[in-house]
Amino acid sequence: MNLFDTVVVVDWSGGNERGRAPSKDAIWACVARKGVSDAPVYLRNRQLAEVWLHELLEAELAAGRRILAGFDFPFGYPAGFAAAVTGCADPLELWDWFEARIEDAPKANNRFDLAAEINRGFGGKGPFWGNGLARDIDALPRTKAAYHNPFPERREAEQHAKGAFACWQMAGAGAVGSQVFMGLPVLARLRRAFAEHLAVWPFEEPERDIALVEVWPSLTVSAAREGVIKDAHQVAELAQKISGLAPEVLNQMLSVSAPEEGWILGLGHEAHLAALPEVGGELQPPPLRNDCFALPAGVDWTPVEEALKLLQARLRPVVGQEEVSLLQAGGRILASDLLALRANPPHPNTAVDGWGFDATDIEVGPQSFRAVSGRSAAGKPFEGVVPKGSAVRVLTGADLPHGVDTVVLDEDVAVGDGEIAFHGPLKQGANTRRAGEDVAMGALALASGRVLTPADLALAAAVGHGALPVFLRLRVAVISTGDELVEAGDVAGPGQIFDANRPMLLRMAERWGYVPVDMGRVADSRTALRDTLDQAAREADVILTSGGASAGDEDHVSALLRETGALQEWRIALKPGRPLALGVWNDTPVFGLPGNPVAALVCALVFARPAMGILSGAGWSAPQGFDLPAGFSKRKKAGRREYLRARVRDGRVEVFQSEGSGRVSGLSWAEGLVEIGDDAQDISPGDRVRYIPFGSFGL
């Protein structure tokens, strides 16, 4: 069985809508992939949850991903119940039976009445108990005092799961029965909508693109941190744990026979799940597969655009996660969506210094209000109520006192003995800020993958976060290869040159926010290069080499990667740049850049930088270009995309006098690149060309 690409865990609710603000005892869901979870999603009612689930499954199928969807309520009842109700022991028939009879709206449903109807078929005293309504319901006992159950109290799964609740309880703490009543109809509709793609485990073999499974977060999940909603924490951690399981372990967990009652995924494997990292801990994703760089069969020369699309599709983050304090998070990459824990502003407040009052009946012309003693200032709100017809002094940023909905500016007010006066009209709500008008509580404040700026830290602080989940910094090892290289400042012998690429690439990695790891220079020795690559793979998350990436006798980077079976030589149709060697060494991705400095820089900017964006968790980033008039002439043949060293002067783009890949002075002279497309072009002064400043590449 293949791995599931996506895991979603849902904490269900049998009750009514919980409101727009995230809360406990509501529906929470979380998506995880490869041992990394997204931010938990709050779904305030079952109708929204069903739409969200349907859209998620559609999107994952369209992307070619297999999905395991876990729900925290029983998929079946103790033996005998399904046959007694439907005449058939197939629990999926019972799903359809419930779906045909449950009536559900955000604020009301018929679950208690349906439980009573079932009870009446068995003598009126069971198997269900617990009435959460104010009205009595015939045949549904409020407590277990007069309760009689003609079926086993627990499934076999609950007998093994310490602390699990029975499915007969409809109200009160642990009312699993209500979750089953309100959950099975939704799953029945999903099963019908995705019929040929979906299997229900353990009633069906989970070999289709979607597998629905029963989960129980309390089986292995850790306690939530203070201030974090328990349900949100549980779905995130369980999704993360399941998605990080090795395929053979998950296969063992799925090897269960429980054709009528169902089973809890992971039951009997608690120790293995508990040993996996918790949310907020340092997560290490699985290694990159050796075939992630493989080109489609028959590809020879690869256009730049196609090469970029292939990289974007094949790569994923290779770094773990950690939580750091807000003050340490600048420049780091946000690892999950950040929801507002508090609205901003948290309360209605005044935008100016002035006087606040109720403007419901204000008219045109002179207005006068009695001045209330006291004032409202930022951090020191007015504690009383301002009567209608009265006004109170308010200062910028202060909470609006009760009875105040409008503020008039100081400079528009005349202040007398115990009263104020000004000219109307004044629009109701003038000079005030509504609570949450910037960011509502529970709204998305910052999206995952964002490189956190100083302004982002201000926003995170304003909405209540003191610590942020971030990806560990990508560690980038840089290796220069070749007998001809000597360290800058040393004595160069005959035929030797100074190593210009390594200092350039190390500083580029640093400017991109990564941790540069200097592996030094390696001579043209396969043994020495192998040892250096081994060390680089231990110390870094990605390796950049320069030189030795082609197919000559001394091109040892290509040769070593070929020996491991993990080399892909991408003959990319661009200038400057020879074949780009892409491979994996000891589970670490390797970018083999050309040895000429200009080609090394261009390949690093065009290919390595966006690829490392994905590897680091920041996602793919295309550089922003600008169409500007050319200040040069250029005739280009069809077949390759070209990048020219360029800069802007007097509103026109000028290019370096030579296109030679070894002309390092042109890199220092340039302030960006001109990108010329794959087709033949004849550029004259004044024609529009695409100019990409180095700043768009993060330099």
Side-chain angles (χ1 to χ4, degrees):
M1 181 184 299
N2 294 328
L3 277 172
F4 290 94
D5 304 290
T6 302
V7 172
V8 57
V9 171
V10 183
D11 186 301
W12 201 248
S13 173
N16 294 337
E17 178 171 323
R18 303 297 297 178
R20 294 184 178 275
S23 67
K24 64 178 183 177
D25 300 325
I27 299 173
W28 285 90
C30 187
V31 174
R33 299 182 181 90
K34 307 296 185 184
V36 179
S37 64
D38 294 344
V41 177
Y42 169 69
L43 300 160
R44 68 179 188 270
N45 61 47
R46 286 178 293 279
Q47 289 70 35
L48 289 175
E50 184 171 351
V51 171
W52 183 87
L53 285 163
H54 196 286
E55 291 177 348
L56 173 69
L57 296 180
E58 278 189 334
E60 295 300 293
L61 287 176
R65 292 192 280 262
R66 296 190 72 227
I67 312 106
L68 184 143
F71 298 83
D72 74 328
F73 54 82
F75 281 11
Y77 282 88
F81 179 74
V85 172
T86 69
C88 175
D90 183 355
L92 296 177
E93 289 285 336
L94 188 62
W95 286 26
D96 294 335
W97 189 91
F98 274 109
E99 197 270 334
R101 289 162 176 79
I102 281 291
E103 300 169 3
D104 193 9
K107 294 294 186 182
N109 60 75
N110 68 335
R111 68 186 189 274
F112 297 113
D113 293 295
L114 183 59
E117 179 183 327
I118 296 172
N119 281 358
R120 282 192 286 272
F122 299 105
K125 294 186 178 180
F128 296 102
W129 66 273
N131 175 9
L133 302 180
R135 61 181 172 87
D136 289 332
I137 301 177
D138 179 47
L140 183 63
R142 288 193 177 273
T143 69
K144 294 184 73 174
Y147 166 77
H148 172 72
N149 191 349
F151 303 101
E153 184 68 13
R154 295 177 181 273
R155 303 179 299 162
E156 184 180 350
E158 275 110 33
Q159 295 174 26
H160 292 277
K162 185 178 180 180
F165 289 88
C167 54
W168 308 114
Q169 182 180 344
M170 297 297 296
V176 173
S178 281
Q179 289 182 291
V180 179
F181 271 49
M182 309 314 298
L184 291 185
V186 173
L187 298 191
R189 287 190 288 272
L190 290 176
R191 182 169 176 261
R192 190 161 57 243
F194 297 96
E196 70 273 21
H197 299 286
L198 186 147
V200 180
W201 176 85
F203 312 135
E204 300 169 322
E205 289 296 324
E207 296 175 348
R208 297 183 179 179
D209 294 322
I210 303 170
L212 303 186
V213 302
E214 178 185 336
V215 297
W216 186 37
S218 297
L219 197 64
T220 60
V221 171
S222 65
R225 299 187 307 275
E226 185 177 354
V228 176
I229 293 174
K230 176 184 175 183
D231 298 339
H233 169 79
Q234 287 189 334
V235 294
E237 184 161 308
L238 187 56
Q240 175 180 293
K241 285 175 179 283
I242 295 174
S243 70
L245 289 170
E248 60 272 15
V249 175
L250 182 55
N251 283 340
Q252 290 177 11
M253 293 182 181
L254 292 169
S255 298
V256 170
S257 178
E260 181 178 350
E261 292 190 340
W263 195 257
I264 298 168
L265 182 68
L267 190 60
H269 300 267
E270 292 87 342
H272 192 102
L273 284 169
L276 294 173
E278 301 172 1
V279 168
E282 184 174 313
L283 303 181
Q284 294 300 331
L288 204 66
R289 294 196 304 267
N290 284 353
D291 64 352
C292 64
F293 290 128
L295 290 171
V299 170
D300 187 10
W301 284 95
T302 307
V304 170
E305 206 61 42
E306 183 66 21
L308 292 174
K309 288 180 180 178
L310 286 168
L311 280 176
Q312 186 173 4
R314 302 287 176 80
L315 298 178
R316 55 175 172 72
V318 297
V319 290
Q321 301 178 21
E322 63 178 345
E323 187 172 77
V324 300
S325 73
L326 184 78
L327 297 179
Q328 296 175 317
R332 301 295 296 273
I333 299 167
L334 192 63
S336 60
D337 288 349
L338 205 67
L339 304 183
L341 301 177
R342 189 189 197 199
N344 186 53
H347 310 109
N349 64 66
T350 174
V352 298
D353 290 346
W355 290 82
F357 52 90
D358 181 343
T360 302
D361 300 322
I362 195 167
E363 298 177 353
V364 177
Q367 308 290 321
S368 64
F369 287 81
R370 185 176 65 84
V372 173
S373 177
R375 69 174 191 174
S376 188
K380 297 181 179 179
F382 182 80
E383 296 183 355
V385 176
V386 179
K388 194 170 179 60
S390 298
V392 67
R393 182 89 171 102
V394 293
L395 303 181
T396 303
D399 287 358
L400 293 183
H402 293 293
V404 171
D405 61 17
T406 304
V407 175
V408 60
L409 278 71
D410 265 346
E411 49 266 42
D412 293 334
V413 176
V415 180
D417 186 14
E419 67 174 351
I420 66 166
F422 61 90
H423 277 279
L426 194 65
K427 184 178 179 181
Q428 192 169 15
N431 301 314
T432 66
R433 306 184 184 103
R434 292 177 289 105
E437 71 175 24
D438 179 22
V439 182
M441 183 178 176
L444 177 66
L446 294 168
S448 172
R450 187 175 179 88
V451 180
L452 293 164
T453 66
D456 293 336
L457 301 186
L459 176 57
V463 297
H465 289 276
L468 302 179
V470 296
F471 286 104
L472 298 174
R473 289 188 187 275
L474 188 76
R475 298 164 298 170
V476 181
V478 177
I479 305 171
S480 287
T481 68
D483 287 339
E484 74 277 15
L485 298 178
V486 296
E487 195 72 15
D490 288 354
V491 177
Q496 291 186 313
I497 60 174
F498 297 114
D499 182 4
N501 286 347
R502 204 171 92 255
M504 175 179 71
L505 294 171
L506 286 166
R507 296 290 76 77
M508 287 168 69
E510 188 175 48
R511 289 286 293 271
W512 291 331
Y514 308 141
V515 178
V517 181
D518 185 2
M519 302 304 301
R521 294 171 290 106
V522 181
D524 287 322
S525 160
R526 205 159 293 185
T527 300
L529 181 57
R530 181 184 288 108
D531 291 342
T532 304
L533 287 172
D534 285 343
Q535 183 182 353
R538 290 191 298 269
E539 297 183 13
D541 304 302
V542 62
I543 302 170
L544 300 183
T545 69
S546 64
S550 193
D553 293 342
E554 299 299 330
D555 291 319
H556 298 294
V557 172
S558 299
L560 282 176
L561 290 173
R562 190 178 294 108
E563 284 179 8
T564 67
L567 170 71
Q568 295 294 329
E569 286 186 294
W570 287 27
R571 302 177 68 201
I572 299 172
L574 86 159
K575 178 183 177 182
R578 296 162 68 189
L580 179 65
L582 301 174
V584 178
W585 186 270
N586 293 348
D587 299 330
T588 304
V590 179
F591 288 81
L593 305 175
N596 285 325
V598 177
L601 179 128
V602 169
C603 285
L605 293 182
V606 176
F607 298 106
R609 175 182 175 266
M612 289 194 294
I614 293 180
L615 297 173
S616 69
W620 189 266
S621 176
Q624 175 68 53
F626 304 90
D627 291 336
L628 299 174
F632 62 94
S633 299
K634 165 75 175 176
R635 178 168 292 178
K636 173 192 168 296
K637 296 180 180 180
R640 291 199 294 177
R641 184 172 299 190
E642 294 192 15
Y643 292 91
L644 309 178
R645 286 149 286 176
R647 65 186 185 187
V648 177
R649 292 294 183 271
D650 299 324
R652 293 194 165 213
V653 182
E654 57 185 40
V655 297
F656 191 59
Q657 59 186 352
S658 170
E659 296 181 16
S661 292
R663 299 290 293 270
V664 184
S665 62
L667 295 178
S668 178
W669 173 91
E671 296 168 357
L673 299 174
V674 162
E675 181 184 64
I676 304 176
D678 304 347
D679 299 333
Q681 295 193 36
D682 192 351
I683 300 172
S684 301
D687 291 347
R688 310 291 284 190
V689 294
R690 187 168 190 254
Y691 172 72
I692 309 174
F694 284 146
S696 290
F697 291 107
L699 298 181

